Amino acid sequence: AKRIIWPALADFDREANLGLDFKAHTGEVRLPNGSTILLQGAGSIREVDKGRGKKYPLVAIDEAQVFSHQIFNYMTLEVFGPAVMDYVGTIMVTGTPNAACVGPFYDICHGKPGWSLHSWTVTDNERLFDARPDYVRKHGGYLEAIDAYLKDIRIERGWKDDHPGYLREYL
């Protein structure tokens, strides 16, 4: 969780001058208004249990495609489901359906009742080339840069537009 989200929060804090307070030893990020973002792992039942006994307005489970049915159901139904009740809160899961096309996140992405589905492609990520404005200029704009990049990916890998890896990871 810290490797994925922490750097993005730190960048956002610098850009927007939010005044976030990063507590590396606990995985907490405290906001000036008193709110807290808690980053924790969930690779085992024991790690998931660290979320017990608290109340949350929002629980975000990132890279949800990696969790087995057992851990995912335990997280969402037995630990965080009750923990969002006080606020009538939300459990949000994000990720990319895995190549095996199985698992709880895959089920959600294919219309599992009780979940709303929102999706986007790489072209919706307007921050994609922030670190390379020269690349965007070279191609004449953001969308043109993405098209060029994706074309290069397909050529390098010998993928057609309908290759499962291309569709899953980029579109």
Side-chain angles (χ1 to χ4, degrees), residues 5-79:
I5 303 299
W6 198 277
L9 287 173
D11 289 347
F12 193 51
D13 181 46
R14 275 190 301 277
E15 291 171 14
N17 196 25
L18 298 176
L20 302 181
D21 184 18
F22 292 84
K23 305 287 185 189
H25 62 288
T26 63
E28 294 179 356
V29 180
R30 296 192 181 140
L31 287 73
N33 69 359
S35 297
T36 300
I37 298 169
L38 173 61
L39 304 175
Q40 75 174 56
S44 68
I45 297 293
R46 183 178 172 154
E47 284 183 312
V48 172
D49 273 337
K50 293 176 184 178
R52 283 190 173 281
K54 299 173 185 147
K55 54 185 177 180
Y56 308 100
L58 173 68
V59 171
I61 301 169
D62 192 27
E63 301 300 347
Q65 75 275 8
V66 303
F67 296 111
S68 67
H69 279 283
Q70 178 193 15
I71 289 181
F72 185 84
N73 289 337
Y74 186 70
M75 265 193 296
T76 58
L77 303 176
E78 297 183 38
V79 175

Side-chain angles (χ1 to χ4, degrees), residues 116-156:
S116 63
L117 183 62
H118 310 273
S119 61
W120 52 90
T121 72
V122 69
T123 60
D124 297 313
N125 183 354
E126 295 177 5
R127 306 283 314 264
L128 184 62
F129 295 122
D130 280 1
R132 292 292 311 275
D134 58 313
Y135 187 81
V136 174
R137 280 192 302 276
K138 172 184 166 187
H139 289 90
Y142 170 73
L143 291 176
E144 293 82 2
I146 290 176
D147 286 342
Y149 191 85
L150 293 178
K151 181 180 177 184
D152 288 345
I153 292 285
R154 291 190 308 273
I155 290 168
E156 287 171 11

